[in-house]
Amino acid sequence: MAADVDKRFPVDNNPSPGEDGSLDVSPGGERLVSGSSKRPWITRALSTFLMLTIVPLIAISYKYYQDSKLLKRHEVAIKALGTEGLFVFSSLDTDHDLYLSPEEFKPIVEKLTGSPSAFSDFEEEITHDPNGETLTLEAKMKPLNLDTMTKSKDGFLGVTHSSLSGLRAWKSPSIPSMSFSASQFRAFLPPKNKGTVGDTWWVIPSELNIFSGYLPNNRYHPPVPRGKEVLIDSLLSMFHPRPFIKPRFAPQGTVACVRALSDFYVDIVFRIHAEFQLNEVPDFPFWFTPGQFTGNIIMSRDSSHIRHFLLYVPNDRTLNVDMEWLYGASESSNMEVDIGYLPQMELQATGPSTPSFIQDEEGNILDSRGGGGDPVQFVFEDIHWTSEISREDAARRLEVTFYPFKKVPYLPFSEAFERAQAENKLVHSILLWGALDDQSCSGRTLRETVLESSPVLALLNQSFISSWSLVKELEDMQANEQDPVESQRARLHLEKYSFPVEMMVALPNGTIVHHINANYFLDETSMKPDEEPTTFSFSGGFEDPSTATYISFLKEGLEKAKDYVGQ
Ligand SMILES: *[C@@H]1O[C@H](CO)[C@@H](O)[C@H](O)[C@H]1NC(C)=O
Ligand SMILES: *[C@@H]1O[C@H](CO)[C@@H](O)[C@H](O)[C@H]1NC(C)=O
């Protein structure tokens, strides 16, 4: 089952991105067909005859030279380390040249000396203001509910004990309480051109897109954070020592939105995509990927004072964490995939930030923490927002920034049917095993291609009410006898479902008039490198065959619905 997901849903099987675009077309070639601009040497080679002949030759012979050099190193490494040893070595070798630079070796030094801060906090050192205010954050978590994992149904049969050791051992935050200087939170302030309510921006930009593939699975140690990453890394490190603030899959990053403004304060809502590596050598990597981290910070516009800080993993869906773990010592080894429910993971400020020292009326310096005497009581004025949007609106803007397919709203299951009834539209419904809008694998390919293409967005906006649901959610609805209408709709959906993702067109009363499985859909629309694109019927002359196919799927749905209503 897991292998099945893996074959179809990762973006492609290419080596990791960042190899200056010189990717081979063959593996996962269908995605790279339209991404040929990522191979600048080809484009340029077409421009002159000279280049047409020479550049590829140089490229080929250089590549040949590189390959044989790497092959040699690989042989030597296998001899010295064995497969498993090489796996651990490779997890540190981020540029895959089979040599470890001092930078690449750093995680090991940090582990042995136990002092990551000596290396990674230098940028913060500069901005740290000893007279500034400090904020204390407390971390809380309830461990993942193991019973919610699919694999628990057969008692984790066939799952080696070591695979889950990191997960089972993680019962509480690694740092329950930590002090920050208020100025560190400057990282959340908007750039100069993004200062009005409703503006969104990338605090940490995503470096991945559909053409760049994904980052390797065989890593244990996150890269050293830089710039604004340092703060996000410190925050998430309170939960677990190995946060990857650049997760393996797109969309990566941190997005923020100005929710409200007053003369002195700003309320910023943010959303972070990140994941944790729970296992350590000699166990194979285990990736723990919450759907998202979100929260908000209310701070003075110069970041000298923090009024409020909250960061948490939403727990309102029945499943909110994607997990993937490796079964062997190579990037192509089998991966197991599962999902589960994390009841609580949050960071909260114990109160507003306060100065460490204050002056009394006579100018004497007092320790505000009350060294000896009573602690000083601070009184904070109320904040009157002069302009604001709702928390929901801000969350939606963050969502659309991460996922352009959400430019059309996706409503909860029952709400979608009610709306469809009221507006006399059809329901475009996607039923998945894992969530569509988090970072889990099931919906990745779908949302990054067809669902965000503008012709599909336009047709969905015009004629459909969209919704997506988890299989688990609909199973719960189906079992609920309190609501027979909803229960029947859920049953009709589940009858037409097959793993991993089913796209459906439904009448407002729940009857499914048309459906297509995602695996079938992807097989149909994947272009083999040597295939002529004309094998597909291009209804509207779209460049992308999957867009054309999805448009025809939706139009067929509209046709079939007509037949129904006509009868
Ligand atoms: C959806 O349709 C409405 C009304 O026709 C329009 O205002 C809106 O911009 C459309 N949205 C998208 C994403 O096409
Ligand atoms: C929904 O409506 C269609 C057309 O009126 C009808 O054929 C179908 O049986 C109805 N389905 C349910 C579940 O009531």
Side-chain angles (χ1 to χ4, degrees), residues 442-462:
S442 318
R444 235 173 250 148
T445 305
L446 200 57
R447 70 171 190 236
E448 283 173 7
T449 53
V450 288
L451 295 180
E452 64 181 46
S453 81
S454 46
V456 171
L457 282 172
L459 184 56
L460 289 177
N461 190 32
Q462 188 193 337

Side-chain angles (χ1 to χ4, degrees), residues 330-394:
S330 93
E331 182 62 14
S332 55
S333 296
N334 268 344
M335 294 236 2
E336 198 73 82
V337 184
D338 210 334
I339 38 185
Y341 182 68
L342 177 72
Q344 185 189 36
M345 178 169 281
E346 68 179 51
L347 288 182
Q348 189 156 17
T350 53
S353 64
T354 52
S356 316
F357 298 98
I358 51 166
Q359 294 187 343
D360 65 11
E361 293 89 56
E362 281 115 46
N364 300 317
I365 307 276
L366 300 178
D367 185 337
S368 72
R369 314 250 170 256
D374 289 334
V376 175
Q377 296 293 315
F378 289 96
V379 179
F380 300 98
E381 83 271 10
D382 290 339
I383 300 174
H384 299 287
W385 300 117
T386 49
S387 60
E388 64 181 314
I389 56 174
S390 69
R391 180 68 206 258
E392 292 70 36
D393 192 355

Side-chain angles (χ1 to χ4, degrees), residues 6 24 68 78 95 101-102 109 145 200 234 287 343 422 447 465 488:
D6 240 302
D24 282 329
S68 52
I78 285 273
D95 59 4
S101 66
V109 175
N145 183 348
T200 62
S234 313
W287 295 92
R447 70 171 190 236
I465 302 296
Q488 192 201 15

Side-chain angles (χ1 to χ4, degrees), residues 137-208:
L137 297 185
E138 279 179 359
K140 288 189 185 140
M141 75 173 269
K142 296 200 177 92
L144 186 104
N145 183 348
L146 290 173
D147 296 340
T148 57
M149 290 172 71
T150 314
K151 295 275 177 280
S152 72
K153 291 211 175 87
D154 58 10
F156 294 102
L157 205 71
V159 180
T160 57
H161 187 74
S162 61
S163 299
L164 299 182
S165 60
L167 178 65
R168 288 187 200 272
W170 189 26
K171 299 251 191 264
S172 58
S174 65
I175 306 171
S177 172
M178 189 167 166
S179 289
F180 291 82
S181 72
S183 60
Q184 283 180 276
F185 290 85
R186 240 173 359 127
F188 283 111
L189 285 176
K192 288 209 167 49
N193 57 340
K194 295 281 187 182
T196 47
V197 162
D199 281 350
T200 62
W201 68 95
W202 294 86
V203 178
I204 299 175
S206 179
E207 284 168 3
L208 293 181

